[in-house]
Amino acid sequence: MDGTDSTGGTAPMGHLERALHMARALVLADLAAREVAEADVVSMVEESVAQRRWWVEQWPEGASFLSGLVAQDVQDALLERYGRWPLCPVCGSGDPHALEVEPELGPDPHWVCHKAGVKVAAIGGLGGAAGGTRSS
């Protein structure tokens, strides 16, 4: 199937495809906000989305978890190749440390600094992140 309907227009995107595209866009926004969206890093996002496509096809109820999972996948891949990402913008002293995705498996994932106990930004929102809000 080529993505066009019988009238020659584009077929509507399914719920799972929308969720995958949204997860990809949100993680790319965070990478761009931290100026690390180089070609090899974007390839990490693409690889994660391809792997998560199979996962969400097996468990469609997990579609709302995709952005957090893709963010974690990319964070893990970056750690193996380059080091911690994204670095915490909240803690001004001490050793640099990475933000973590919370919840690890759940809807509405955020970047969180566990040292300071604050939510820094929603996945996709690192461009506007500064101080964060207290995590509950």
Side-chain angles (χ1 to χ4, degrees):
M1 182 165 252
D2 66 0
T4 59
D5 63 19
S6 60
T7 63
T10 303
M13 193 182 308
H15 172 68
L16 298 181
E17 278 303 307
R18 278 193 306 274
L20 286 162
H21 284 278
M22 180 59 72
R24 177 185 184 277
L26 291 172
V27 173
L28 286 173
D30 283 343
L31 290 165
R34 294 295 189 244
E35 299 177 357
V36 293
E38 303 297 327
D40 60 333
V41 177
V42 172
S43 293
M44 293 176 191
V45 177
E46 299 300 339
E47 183 178 327
S48 172
V49 169
Q51 292 172 357
R52 293 299 176 178
R53 181 181 313 278
W54 178 88
W55 179 86
V56 77
E57 286 171 352
Q58 306 309 305
W59 191 46
E61 296 82 17
S64 64
F65 305 167
L66 284 171
S67 60
L69 291 170
V70 171
Q72 289 176 66
D73 291 345
V74 172
Q75 187 177 40
D76 290 346
L78 282 167
L79 180 61
E80 289 177 17
R81 287 196 194 170
Y82 301 109
R84 293 172 281 210
W85 178 86
L87 292 179
C88 180
V90 176
C91 298
S93 61
D95 290 331
H97 57 278
L99 300 174
E100 297 178 31
V101 175
E102 193 175 281
E104 288 186 29
L105 184 62
D108 192 29
H110 282 73
W111 292 111
V112 174
C113 172
H114 284 284
K115 271 190 169 182
V118 297
K119 286 184 180 180
V120 175
I123 300 297
L126 282 178
T133 58
R134 285 277 160 212
S135 183
S136 49

